[in-house]
Amino acid sequence: MGNSVSVLGAAHGSSGQTRSSEAYVVVAYGDRLGYHYSAIFAALLISAYKGDGAPVVIYTDRPELFRNYPFEIVPISPQQIGDWSLEGRYWFRIKNRVMYDVLGRGFECVLYIDSDIAFTGDPRVDMARVTPGRAVMFRSEGPANRSPKSSYHSLAGLPKDLFAEDGLVLSPSAPLWSSAIMGLHRDMRESVECADRIIRGLLGKIDTHTLEQFALGVALEREHEVVPSSGKFSIFSTTRTKAFARRRMFEFFQRNHAAPFEVQMAEAKRLRLRQPLGRMVVGRLLELKPGPDPDFGRLA
């Protein structure tokens, strides 16, 4: 494998080359290397299944970890991380800022994938459903206030003119769309910016970690249809499933880190990231705590 990082220019076609009208996006930042290697693995599977020339774009503060892969890299500086996370007050805002940025780089359609999602089928199924009038989100989680303890009940007590600039009155029963997968068209860039205004307007008023996805769903549904993902994938977002998947990925990279890209893609498709059901049930019954992440620093 090569030793250079392909850095995505500030604007579409800035390198003088004709780019694909579509792109797949993964984000990796922070001190825990497990997240970065999860992003590499997710990108390997996207590359293995998509079968087209659309780039996989990685937004990361550790571009050197991706130097041996043919992904397009957008480096994120510490200053950007501070700005995009509102100085650490809301880390999930980074996803919003990444989508706003990448939709400004000339791509017509973009499919964002969380790094704890491993595709087991062609992601183009979701990409193909994105149109100027239709967005794809991971899934609908029902009304935001579906739980009696939901913080979104307090939306009813906020000033009605809080988002008068956007002509919005937020309802506690608005749908909550999960943003683990986001398929957006470039015509939706203003909706992403509207969602950011909602995030900043509600931060500190609504005590929840799902502001980013709530805001995007509300902003999109003003002018666009939102549909759930129909892709095939495995997701390992809980503490227990993530711990098992990280151990398996660590072993994968120990074996394959020096292998050609084509070999890594083929081996990634064979790797099982889900713990056998019997072992999972036993672990829960015995209340066994998942172990810590392997030392991914040994791979870097």
Side-chain angles (χ1 to χ4, degrees):
M1 294 172 63
N3 291 306
S4 62
V5 175
S6 175
V7 178
L8 188 60
H12 174 58
S14 61
S15 63
Q17 299 177 345
T18 301
R19 292 195 180 277
S20 167
S21 63
E22 300 173 348
Y24 300 85
V25 179
V26 182
V27 179
Y29 61 89
D31 296 331
R32 297 182 64 179
L33 292 181
Y35 285 100
H36 295 270
Y37 279 94
S38 290
I40 294 174
F41 193 83
L44 279 171
L45 285 174
I46 294 166
S47 301
Y49 281 108
K50 68 184 178 66
D52 62 17
V56 178
V57 181
I58 311 289
Y59 279 73
T60 179
D61 61 349
R62 296 290 301 272
E64 72 279 3
L65 296 177
F66 300 83
R67 63 185 178 275
N68 291 331
Y69 295 93
F71 309 136
E72 298 204 34
I73 305 302
V74 179
I76 311 175
S77 69
Q79 181 178 353
Q80 278 179 305
I81 288 178
D83 177 41
W84 287 1
S85 69
L86 299 174
E87 305 305 326
R89 292 172 59 215
Y90 188 58
W91 293 103
F92 290 119
R93 181 177 180 253
I94 290 176
K95 292 170 66 172
N96 177 286
R97 295 294 81 194
V98 164
M99 293 305 287
Y100 185 77
D101 184 86
V102 75
L103 287 172
R105 292 175 181 267
F107 298 111
E108 183 176 1
C109 299
V110 171
L111 188 69
Y112 166 91
I113 298 100
D114 268 357
S115 62
D116 55 9
I117 285 181
F119 270 90
T120 57
D122 192 343
R124 289 179 300 179
V125 170
D126 280 339
M127 185 74 85
R129 301 177 74 200
V130 178
T131 71
R134 183 173 60 218
V136 173
M137 300 286 281
F138 176 44
R139 65 187 176 199
S140 174
E141 298 182 352
N145 64 351
R146 65 196 181 282
S147 166
K149 297 181 180 179
S150 171
S151 298
Y152 289 103
H153 287 286
S154 59
L155 284 174
L158 296 179
K160 300 300 182 184
D161 61 350
L162 183 60
F163 299 104
E165 175 187 350
D166 292 298
L168 284 172
V169 176
L170 300 183
S171 168
S173 61
L176 182 63
W177 285 94
S178 172
S179 60
I181 290 174
M182 295 183 283
L184 302 182
H185 189 274
R186 64 186 172 202
D187 288 358
M188 299 169 186
R189 195 171 188 235
E190 174 50 36
S191 292
V192 176
E193 189 71 347
C194 174
D196 188 58
R197 292 192 289 272
I198 296 173
I199 290 171
R200 289 182 282 113
L202 293 183
L203 191 64
K205 299 179 179 71
I206 302 293
D207 183 20
T208 178
H209 68 282
T210 59
L211 272 182
E212 169 267 326
Q213 61 192 59
F214 172 79
L216 182 58
V218 168
L220 285 172
E221 289 197 328
R222 291 196 309 167
E223 299 180 4
H224 309 281
E225 179 188 11
V226 182
V227 298
S229 167
S230 58
K232 295 181 179 179
F233 44 77
S234 179
I235 183 167
F236 44 97
S237 57
T238 67
T239 301
R240 193 174 299 277
T241 58
K242 187 174 293 184
F244 180 81
R246 291 272 171 83
R247 290 195 297 271
R248 296 286 283 158
M249 283 189 285
F250 179 75
E251 295 164 359
F252 168 87
F253 286 111
Q254 278 187 313
R255 293 191 304 270
N256 297 295
H257 73 280
F261 183 64
E262 292 74 15
V263 172
Q264 291 198 37
M265 286 193 296
E267 291 300 311
K269 289 173 72 172
R270 297 188 184 100
L271 189 67
R272 179 175 178 150
L273 293 176
R274 302 290 296 185
Q275 191 174 24
L277 182 59
R279 289 178 56 186
M280 187 181 300
V281 171
V282 169
R284 288 175 176 171
L285 289 175
L286 298 179
E287 297 184 351
L288 299 177
K289 292 185 178 180
D293 275 357
D295 182 8
F296 282 91
R298 292 161 55 190
L299 304 173

Tab-separated table of all heavy atoms in Angstrom, residues 43-97:
chain	number	residue	atom	x	y	z
A	43	ALA	N	-14.936	2.419	6.488
A	43	ALA	CA	-14.611	2.875	5.136
A	43	ALA	C	-14.171	1.714	4.242
A	43	ALA	O	-14.458	1.705	3.038
A	43	ALA	CB	-13.523	3.941	5.196
A	44	LEU	N	-13.476	0.742	4.810
A	44	LEU	CA	-13.107	-0.453	4.047
A	44	LEU	C	-14.353	-1.173	3.540
A	44	LEU	O	-14.416	-1.593	2.371
A	44	LEU	CB	-12.288	-1.407	4.917
A	44	LEU	CG	-10.806	-1.119	5.092
A	44	LEU	CD1	-10.220	-2.034	6.169
A	44	LEU	CD2	-10.057	-1.312	3.774
A	45	LEU	N	-15.353	-1.340	4.410
A	45	LEU	CA	-16.568	-2.045	4.014
A	45	LEU	C	-17.383	-1.238	3.004
A	45	LEU	O	-17.950	-1.802	2.064
A	45	LEU	CB	-17.409	-2.375	5.243
A	45	LEU	CG	-16.870	-3.521	6.098
A	45	LEU	CD1	-17.688	-3.673	7.364
A	45	LEU	CD2	-16.871	-4.838	5.317
A	46	ILE	N	-17.458	0.064	3.188
A	46	ILE	CA	-18.139	0.903	2.201
A	46	ILE	C	-17.471	0.722	0.845
A	46	ILE	O	-18.137	0.512	-0.185
A	46	ILE	CB	-18.101	2.379	2.626
A	46	ILE	CG1	-18.918	2.601	3.899
A	46	ILE	CG2	-18.639	3.279	1.505
A	46	ILE	CD1	-18.663	3.943	4.554
A	47	SER	N	-16.149	0.779	0.818
A	47	SER	CA	-15.403	0.624	-0.429
A	47	SER	C	-15.622	-0.748	-1.045
A	47	SER	O	-15.740	-0.888	-2.268
A	47	SER	CB	-13.907	0.848	-0.175
A	47	SER	OG	-13.653	2.129	0.360
A	48	ALA	N	-15.683	-1.777	-0.198
A	48	ALA	CA	-15.825	-3.142	-0.687
A	48	ALA	C	-17.181	-3.393	-1.323
A	48	ALA	O	-17.297	-4.150	-2.294
A	48	ALA	CB	-15.597	-4.127	0.458
A	49	TYR	N	-18.215	-2.749	-0.793
A	49	TYR	CA	-19.574	-3.037	-1.255
A	49	TYR	C	-20.108	-2.054	-2.302
A	49	TYR	O	-21.008	-2.414	-3.073
A	49	TYR	CB	-20.534	-3.055	-0.069
A	49	TYR	CG	-20.486	-4.338	0.731
A	49	TYR	CD1	-19.914	-4.362	2.002
A	49	TYR	CD2	-21.010	-5.523	0.229
A	49	TYR	CE1	-19.874	-5.538	2.747
A	49	TYR	CE2	-20.972	-6.703	0.960
A	49	TYR	CZ	-20.407	-6.700	2.217
A	49	TYR	OH	-20.354	-7.867	2.947
A	50	LYS	N	-19.597	-0.832	-2.349
A	50	LYS	CA	-20.245	0.172	-3.200
A	50	LYS	C	-19.966	-0.041	-4.681
A	50	LYS	O	-20.791	0.293	-5.525
A	50	LYS	CB	-19.851	1.585	-2.780
A	50	LYS	CG	-18.391	1.955	-3.022
A	50	LYS	CD	-18.100	3.344	-2.479
A	50	LYS	CE	-16.643	3.746	-2.646
A	50	LYS	NZ	-16.245	3.896	-4.063
A	51	GLY	N	-18.802	-0.559	-5.034
A	51	GLY	CA	-18.539	-0.916	-6.419
A	51	GLY	C	-18.598	0.220	-7.416
A	51	GLY	O	-18.898	0.007	-8.594
A	52	ASP	N	-18.343	1.457	-6.998
A	52	ASP	CA	-18.300	2.569	-7.944
A	52	ASP	C	-17.127	3.474	-7.601
A	52	ASP	O	-16.348	3.192	-6.690
A	52	ASP	CB	-19.626	3.352	-7.940
A	52	ASP	CG	-19.940	3.992	-6.591
A	52	ASP	OD1	-19.020	4.126	-5.758
A	52	ASP	OD2	-21.110	4.350	-6.363
A	53	GLY	N	-16.987	4.559	-8.344
A	53	GLY	CA	-15.842	5.429	-8.149
A	53	GLY	C	-16.063	6.564	-7.175
A	53	GLY	O	-15.182	7.418	-7.021
A	54	ALA	N	-17.212	6.592	-6.516
A	54	ALA	CA	-17.471	7.668	-5.558
A	54	ALA	C	-16.477	7.588	-4.404
A	54	ALA	O	-16.228	6.505	-3.868
A	54	ALA	CB	-18.902	7.585	-5.036
A	55	PRO	N	-15.897	8.703	-3.997
A	55	PRO	CA	-14.881	8.660	-2.944
A	55	PRO	C	-15.470	8.429	-1.558
A	55	PRO	O	-16.636	8.745	-1.299
A	55	PRO	CB	-14.253	10.056	-3.024
A	55	PRO	CG	-15.357	10.929	-3.532
A	55	PRO	CD	-16.117	10.070	-4.510
A	56	VAL	N	-14.653	7.870	-0.692
A	56	VAL	CA	-14.944	7.840	0.740
A	56	VAL	C	-14.147	8.981	1.354
A	56	VAL	O	-12.915	9.014	1.263
A	56	VAL	CB	-14.543	6.502	1.383
A	56	VAL	CG1	-14.822	6.535	2.885
A	56	VAL	CG2	-15.291	5.352	0.716
A	57	VAL	N	-14.844	9.930	1.934
A	57	VAL	CA	-14.219	11.130	2.487
A	57	VAL	C	-14.162	10.996	4.005
A	57	VAL	O	-15.183	10.767	4.653
A	57	VAL	CB	-15.012	12.400	2.086
A	57	VAL	CG1	-14.332	13.645	2.655
A	57	VAL	CG2	-15.120	12.498	0.568
A	58	ILE	N	-12.958	11.134	4.551
A	58	ILE	CA	-12.756	11.009	5.998
A	58	ILE	C	-12.422	12.378	6.581
A	58	ILE	O	-11.433	13.006	6.190
A	58	ILE	CB	-11.601	10.034	6.326
A	58	ILE	CG1	-11.739	8.714	5.562
A	58	ILE	CG2	-11.526	9.813	7.838
A	58	ILE	CD1	-12.847	7.823	6.008
A	59	TYR	N	-13.246	12.844	7.493
A	59	TYR	CA	-12.931	14.050	8.276
A	59	TYR	C	-12.252	13.581	9.560
A	59	TYR	O	-12.850	12.819	10.340
A	59	TYR	CB	-14.205	14.817	8.618
A	59	TYR	CG	-14.735	15.695	7.505
A	59	TYR	CD1	-15.346	15.134	6.392
A	59	TYR	CD2	-14.619	17.088	7.570
A	59	TYR	CE1	-15.840	15.942	5.365
A	59	TYR	CE2	-15.110	17.901	6.552
A	59	TYR	CZ	-15.714	17.318	5.458
A	59	TYR	OH	-16.199	18.110	4.444
A	60	THR	N	-11.023	14.028	9.794
A	60	THR	CA	-10.281	13.503	10.936
A	60	THR	C	-9.222	14.476	11.433
A	60	THR	O	-8.684	15.278	10.655
A	60	THR	CB	-9.597	12.168	10.568
A	60	THR	OG1	-8.865	11.676	11.695
A	60	THR	CG2	-8.641	12.330	9.386
A	61	ASP	N	-8.929	14.384	12.723
A	61	ASP	CA	-7.820	15.140	13.292
A	61	ASP	C	-6.543	14.308	13.358
A	61	ASP	O	-5.531	14.769	13.876
A	61	ASP	CB	-8.183	15.671	14.687
A	61	ASP	CG	-8.494	14.565	15.679
A	61	ASP	OD1	-8.644	13.398	15.255
A	61	ASP	OD2	-8.620	14.863	16.896
A	62	ARG	N	-6.597	13.073	12.806
A	62	ARG	CA	-5.407	12.201	12.764
A	62	ARG	C	-5.206	11.673	11.343
A	62	ARG	O	-5.290	10.475	11.088
A	62	ARG	CB	-5.573	11.036	13.749
A	62	ARG	CG	-5.654	11.421	15.231
A	62	ARG	CD	-4.309	11.934	15.763
A	62	ARG	NE	-3.261	10.940	15.626
A	62	ARG	CZ	-2.984	10.008	16.542
A	62	ARG	NH1	-3.727	9.932	17.645
A	62	ARG	NH2	-2.009	9.156	16.369
A	63	PRO	N	-4.951	12.551	10.373
A	63	PRO	CA	-4.846	12.102	8.976
A	63	PRO	C	-3.736	11.086	8.749
A	63	PRO	O	-3.833	10.275	7.820
A	63	PRO	CB	-4.589	13.404	8.201
A	63	PRO	CG	-4.113	14.389	9.207
A	63	PRO	CD	-4.765	14.023	10.498
A	64	GLU	N	-2.717	11.101	9.600
A	64	GLU	CA	-1.612	10.157	9.398
A	64	GLU	C	-2.045	8.714	9.567
A	64	GLU	O	-1.426	7.802	9.004
A	64	GLU	CB	-0.463	10.480	10.365
A	64	GLU	CG	-0.702	10.152	11.829
A	64	GLU	CD	-1.522	11.201	12.583
A	64	GLU	OE1	-1.959	12.172	11.938
A	64	GLU	OE2	-1.696	11.053	13.812
A	65	LEU	N	-3.108	8.459	10.313
A	65	LEU	CA	-3.582	7.086	10.503
A	65	LEU	C	-4.187	6.514	9.226
A	65	LEU	O	-4.331	5.296	9.097
A	65	LEU	CB	-4.616	7.031	11.626
A	65	LEU	CG	-4.123	7.400	13.030
A	65	LEU	CD1	-5.283	7.379	14.016
A	65	LEU	CD2	-3.019	6.457	13.484
A	66	PHE	N	-4.536	7.389	8.279
A	66	PHE	CA	-5.185	6.963	7.039
A	66	PHE	C	-4.240	7.023	5.843
A	66	PHE	O	-4.667	6.903	4.705
A	66	PHE	CB	-6.409	7.850	6.781
A	66	PHE	CG	-7.441	7.802	7.868
A	66	PHE	CD1	-7.311	8.590	9.005
A	66	PHE	CD2	-8.544	6.964	7.768
A	66	PHE	CE1	-8.257	8.542	10.021
A	66	PHE	CE2	-9.494	6.911	8.775
A	66	PHE	CZ	-9.343	7.694	9.905
A	67	ARG	N	-2.951	7.190	6.123
A	67	ARG	CA	-2.003	7.468	5.049
A	67	ARG	C	-1.865	6.325	4.045
A	67	ARG	O	-1.468	6.546	2.897
A	67	ARG	CB	-0.625	7.797	5.642
A	67	ARG	CG	0.020	6.650	6.432
A	67	ARG	CD	1.324	7.097	7.085
A	67	ARG	NE	1.929	6.036	7.882
A	67	ARG	CZ	1.617	5.771	9.148
A	67	ARG	NH1	0.673	6.501	9.746
A	67	ARG	NH2	2.212	4.799	9.805
A	68	ASN	N	-2.172	5.101	4.442
A	68	ASN	CA	-2.010	3.950	3.550
A	68	ASN	C	-3.289	3.559	2.826
A	68	ASN	O	-3.338	2.474	2.233
A	68	ASN	CB	-1.484	2.746	4.340
A	68	ASN	CG	-0.046	2.945	4.797
A	68	ASN	OD1	0.726	3.645	4.149
A	68	ASN	ND2	0.299	2.351	5.920
A	69	TYR	N	-4.291	4.416	2.882
A	69	TYR	CA	-5.582	4.071	2.292
A	69	TYR	C	-5.984	5.098	1.241
A	69	TYR	O	-5.694	6.294	1.395
A	69	TYR	CB	-6.652	3.992	3.390
A	69	TYR	CG	-6.406	2.868	4.361
A	69	TYR	CD1	-5.689	3.087	5.536
A	69	TYR	CD2	-6.859	1.579	4.085
A	69	TYR	CE1	-5.439	2.041	6.428
A	69	TYR	CE2	-6.616	0.534	4.969
A	69	TYR	CZ	-5.904	0.778	6.131
A	69	TYR	OH	-5.655	-0.257	6.994
A	70	PRO	N	-6.696	4.650	0.189
A	70	PRO	CA	-7.076	5.563	-0.895
A	70	PRO	C	-8.363	6.340	-0.602
A	70	PRO	O	-9.234	6.465	-1.457
A	70	PRO	CB	-7.266	4.607	-2.085
A	70	PRO	CG	-7.756	3.343	-1.464
A	70	PRO	CD	-7.023	3.239	-0.138
A	71	PHE	N	-8.470	6.837	0.616
A	71	PHE	CA	-9.602	7.670	0.980
A	71	PHE	C	-9.210	9.130	0.786
A	71	PHE	O	-8.034	9.477	0.788
A	71	PHE	CB	-10.014	7.445	2.435
A	71	PHE	CG	-10.224	6.002	2.796
A	71	PHE	CD1	-9.724	5.481	3.985
A	71	PHE	CD2	-10.916	5.147	1.954
A	71	PHE	CE1	-9.907	4.153	4.333
A	71	PHE	CE2	-11.103	3.803	2.274
A	71	PHE	CZ	-10.589	3.310	3.471
A	72	GLU	N	-10.206	9.985	0.635
A	72	GLU	CA	-9.929	11.415	0.555
A	72	GLU	C	-10.081	12.004	1.953
A	72	GLU	O	-11.091	11.767	2.623
A	72	GLU	CB	-10.873	12.088	-0.443
A	72	GLU	CG	-10.697	11.533	-1.854
A	72	GLU	CD	-11.144	12.511	-2.917
A	72	GLU	OE1	-10.988	13.731	-2.728
A	72	GLU	OE2	-11.646	12.051	-3.942
A	73	ILE	N	-9.089	12.753	2.363
A	73	ILE	CA	-9.003	13.205	3.750
A	73	ILE	C	-9.277	14.703	3.851
A	73	ILE	O	-8.744	15.500	3.085
A	73	ILE	CB	-7.601	12.904	4.332
A	73	ILE	CG1	-7.261	11.423	4.179
A	73	ILE	CG2	-7.533	13.339	5.793
A	73	ILE	CD1	-8.240	10.478	4.835
A	74	VAL	N	-10.110	15.062	4.814
A	74	VAL	CA	-10.291	16.465	5.191
A	74	VAL	C	-9.776	16.605	6.621
A	74	VAL	O	-10.432	16.156	7.571
A	74	VAL	CB	-11.767	16.903	5.116
A	74	VAL	CG1	-11.901	18.371	5.547
A	74	VAL	CG2	-12.325	16.706	3.718
A	75	PRO	N	-8.590	17.170	6.803
A	75	PRO	CA	-8.066	17.324	8.160
A	75	PRO	C	-8.909	18.304	8.974
A	75	PRO	O	-9.351	19.335	8.470
A	75	PRO	CB	-6.650	17.884	7.925
A	75	PRO	CG	-6.345	17.589	6.489
A	75	PRO	CD	-7.654	17.644	5.773
A	76	ILE	N	-9.141	17.953	10.233
A	76	ILE	CA	-9.843	18.845	11.158
A	76	ILE	C	-8.827	19.343	12.169
A	76	ILE	O	-8.205	18.542	12.877
A	76	ILE	CB	-10.986	18.124	11.901
A	76	ILE	CG1	-11.879	17.342	10.933
A	76	ILE	CG2	-11.828	19.127	12.675
A	76	ILE	CD1	-12.956	16.525	11.645
A	77	SER	N	-8.664	20.638	12.265
A	77	SER	CA	-7.693	21.208	13.198
A	77	SER	C	-8.287	21.269	14.606
A	77	SER	O	-9.515	21.249	14.776
A	77	SER	CB	-7.306	22.618	12.758
A	77	SER	OG	-8.409	23.502	12.917
A	78	PRO	N	-7.432	21.358	15.626
A	78	PRO	CA	-7.950	21.537	16.995
A	78	PRO	C	-8.860	22.759	17.114
A	78	PRO	O	-9.854	22.732	17.849
A	78	PRO	CB	-6.679	21.701	17.829
A	78	PRO	CG	-5.624	20.965	17.059
A	78	PRO	CD	-5.962	21.198	15.607
A	79	GLN	N	-8.535	23.824	16.391
A	79	GLN	CA	-9.376	25.016	16.430
A	79	GLN	C	-10.769	24.722	15.864
A	79	GLN	O	-11.788	25.161	16.421
A	79	GLN	CB	-8.730	26.145	15.639
A	79	GLN	CG	-9.536	27.442	15.640
A	79	GLN	CD	-8.839	28.554	14.871
A	79	GLN	OE1	-7.695	28.412	14.446
A	79	GLN	NE2	-9.533	29.670	14.692
A	80	GLN	N	-10.812	23.953	14.766
A	80	GLN	CA	-12.111	23.590	14.190
A	80	GLN	C	-12.919	22.716	15.142
A	80	GLN	O	-14.127	22.897	15.292
A	80	GLN	CB	-11.919	22.851	12.868
A	80	GLN	CG	-11.676	23.749	11.672
A	80	GLN	CD	-11.484	22.935	10.417
A	80	GLN	OE1	-10.628	22.051	10.359
A	80	GLN	NE2	-12.260	23.225	9.397
A	81	ILE	N	-12.250	21.766	15.779
A	81	ILE	CA	-12.957	20.895	16.712
A	81	ILE	C	-13.556	21.723	17.841
A	81	ILE	O	-14.702	21.513	18.257
A	81	ILE	CB	-12.018	19.810	17.258
A	81	ILE	CG1	-11.713	18.782	16.150
A	81	ILE	CG2	-12.632	19.104	18.465
A	81	ILE	CD1	-10.766	17.693	16.565
A	82	GLY	N	-12.802	22.681	18.339
A	82	GLY	CA	-13.318	23.556	19.380
A	82	GLY	C	-14.505	24.370	18.902
A	82	GLY	O	-15.526	24.488	19.593
A	83	ASP	N	-14.389	24.916	17.695
A	83	ASP	CA	-15.471	25.728	17.136
A	83	ASP	C	-16.695	24.873	16.847
A	83	ASP	O	-17.817	25.221	17.227
A	83	ASP	CB	-14.980	26.406	15.853
A	83	ASP	CG	-16.074	27.213	15.164
A	83	ASP	OD1	-16.836	27.886	15.873
A	83	ASP	OD2	-16.152	27.156	13.923
A	84	TRP	N	-16.488	23.743	16.169
A	84	TRP	CA	-17.615	22.901	15.757
A	84	TRP	C	-18.320	22.246	16.938
A	84	TRP	O	-19.497	21.932	16.866
A	84	TRP	CB	-17.138	21.826	14.782
A	84	TRP	CG	-16.807	22.377	13.411
A	84	TRP	CD1	-16.883	23.686	13.000
A	84	TRP	CD2	-16.340	21.630	12.279
A	84	TRP	NE1	-16.492	23.796	11.687
A	84	TRP	CE2	-16.162	22.560	11.215
A	84	TRP	CE3	-16.055	20.283	12.063
A	84	TRP	CZ2	-15.711	22.154	9.950
A	84	TRP	CZ3	-15.605	19.889	10.807
A	84	TRP	CH2	-15.439	20.823	9.769
A	85	SER	N	-17.608	22.017	18.038
A	85	SER	CA	-18.232	21.411	19.219
A	85	SER	C	-18.688	22.453	20.231
A	85	SER	O	-19.095	22.097	21.338
A	85	SER	CB	-17.244	20.448	19.893
A	85	SER	OG	-16.165	21.163	20.485
A	86	LEU	N	-18.628	23.724	19.852
A	86	LEU	CA	-18.951	24.818	20.777
A	86	LEU	C	-18.101	24.697	22.035
A	86	LEU	O	-18.581	24.731	23.157
A	86	LEU	CB	-20.450	24.820	21.113
A	86	LEU	CG	-21.381	25.014	19.907
A	86	LEU	CD1	-22.842	24.857	20.327
A	86	LEU	CD2	-21.160	26.388	19.271
A	87	GLU	N	-16.802	24.551	21.791
A	87	GLU	CA	-15.796	24.407	22.856
A	87	GLU	C	-16.118	23.251	23.793
A	87	GLU	O	-15.968	23.352	25.015
A	87	GLU	CB	-15.658	25.724	23.643
A	87	GLU	CG	-15.346	26.931	22.776
A	87	GLU	CD	-14.103	26.753	21.897
A	87	GLU	OE1	-13.156	26.072	22.349
A	87	GLU	OE2	-14.084	27.273	20.763
A	88	GLY	N	-16.545	22.151	23.201
A	88	GLY	CA	-16.801	20.937	23.973
A	88	GLY	C	-18.167	20.883	24.628
A	88	GLY	O	-18.479	19.909	25.314
A	89	ARG	N	-18.997	21.877	24.409
A	89	ARG	CA	-20.325	21.886	25.044
A	89	ARG	C	-21.282	20.899	24.386
A	89	ARG	O	-22.188	20.385	25.015
A	89	ARG	CB	-20.918	23.301	24.991
A	89	ARG	CG	-20.177	24.323	25.858
A	89	ARG	CD	-20.689	25.728	25.596
A	89	ARG	NE	-22.117	25.841	25.865
A	89	ARG	CZ	-22.933	26.618	25.157
A	89	ARG	NH1	-22.481	27.307	24.120
A	89	ARG	NH2	-24.214	26.690	25.472
A	90	TYR	N	-21.072	20.640	23.067
A	90	TYR	CA	-21.951	19.698	22.377
A	90	TYR	C	-21.188	19.058	21.216
A	90	TYR	O	-21.121	19.593	20.111
A	90	TYR	CB	-23.218	20.392	21.871
A	90	TYR	CG	-24.238	19.407	21.325
A	90	TYR	CD1	-24.732	18.386	22.129
A	90	TYR	CD2	-24.671	19.470	20.021
A	90	TYR	CE1	-25.646	17.462	21.643
A	90	TYR	CE2	-25.587	18.564	19.518
A	90	TYR	CZ	-26.066	17.556	20.341
A	90	TYR	OH	-26.956	16.632	19.863
A	91	TRP	N	-20.621	17.875	21.480
A	91	TRP	CA	-19.747	17.210	20.515
A	91	TRP	C	-20.493	16.771	19.260
A	91	TRP	O	-19.929	16.768	18.156
A	91	TRP	CB	-19.054	16.015	21.163
A	91	TRP	CG	-18.084	16.420	22.214
A	91	TRP	CD1	-18.258	16.369	23.566
A	91	TRP	CD2	-16.782	16.988	22.011
A	91	TRP	NE1	-17.156	16.865	24.227
A	91	TRP	CE2	-16.231	17.248	23.289
A	91	TRP	CE3	-16.036	17.303	20.880
A	91	TRP	CZ2	-14.963	17.798	23.448
A	91	TRP	CZ3	-14.771	17.855	21.041
A	91	TRP	CH2	-14.249	18.090	22.314
A	92	PHE	N	-21.763	16.416	19.384
A	92	PHE	CA	-22.488	15.917	18.216
A	92	PHE	C	-22.753	17.011	17.178
A	92	PHE	O	-23.146	16.720	16.047
A	92	PHE	CB	-23.808	15.264	18.639
A	92	PHE	CG	-23.613	13.960	19.369
A	92	PHE	CD1	-24.048	13.809	20.671
A	92	PHE	CD2	-22.987	12.895	18.749
A	92	PHE	CE1	-23.873	12.610	21.342
A	92	PHE	CE2	-22.802	11.693	19.406
A	92	PHE	CZ	-23.246	11.550	20.712
A	93	ARG	N	-22.530	18.267	17.550
A	93	ARG	CA	-22.657	19.327	16.545
A	93	ARG	C	-21.628	19.149	15.434
A	93	ARG	O	-21.820	19.638	14.312
A	93	ARG	CB	-22.489	20.698	17.202
A	93	ARG	CG	-22.636	21.872	16.219
A	93	ARG	CD	-22.526	23.217	16.921
A	93	ARG	NE	-22.672	24.329	16.006
A	93	ARG	CZ	-21.668	25.116	15.609
A	93	ARG	NH1	-20.418	24.927	16.065
A	93	ARG	NH2	-21.894	26.113	14.761
A	94	ILE	N	-20.537	18.458	15.717
A	94	ILE	CA	-19.506	18.236	14.698
A	94	ILE	C	-20.101	17.539	13.480
A	94	ILE	O	-19.740	17.841	12.339
A	94	ILE	CB	-18.328	17.434	15.291
A	94	ILE	CG1	-17.568	18.316	16.297
A	94	ILE	CG2	-17.379	16.937	14.202
A	94	ILE	CD1	-16.435	17.613	17.018
A	95	LYS	N	-21.036	16.612	13.678
A	95	LYS	CA	-21.670	15.937	12.548
A	95	LYS	C	-22.407	16.947	11.669
A	95	LYS	O	-22.360	16.866	10.430
A	95	LYS	CB	-22.641	14.858	13.043
A	95	LYS	CG	-21.960	13.684	13.705
A	95	LYS	CD	-22.938	12.754	14.400
A	95	LYS	CE	-23.864	12.045	13.472
A	95	LYS	NZ	-24.670	11.003	14.165
A	96	ASN	N	-23.092	17.883	12.291
A	96	ASN	CA	-23.799	18.913	11.536
A	96	ASN	C	-22.824	19.753	10.715
A	96	ASN	O	-23.047	20.026	9.535
A	96	ASN	CB	-24.592	19.799	12.497
A	96	ASN	CG	-25.300	20.952	11.802
A	96	ASN	OD1	-24.667	21.923	11.406
A	96	ASN	ND2	-26.621	20.850	11.661
A	97	ARG	N	-21.718	20.151	11.339
A	97	ARG	CA	-20.756	21.003	10.651
A	97	ARG	C	-20.038	20.244	9.534
A	97	ARG	O	-19.704	20.837	8.496
A	97	ARG	CB	-19.741	21.563	11.643
A	97	ARG	CG	-20.339	22.503	12.687
A	97	ARG	CD	-20.877	23.792	12.060
A	97	ARG	NE	-22.203	23.633	11.466
A	97	ARG	CZ	-22.759	24.500	10.642
A	97	ARG	NH1	-22.107	25.596	10.276
A	97	ARG	NH2	-23.964	24.302	10.155
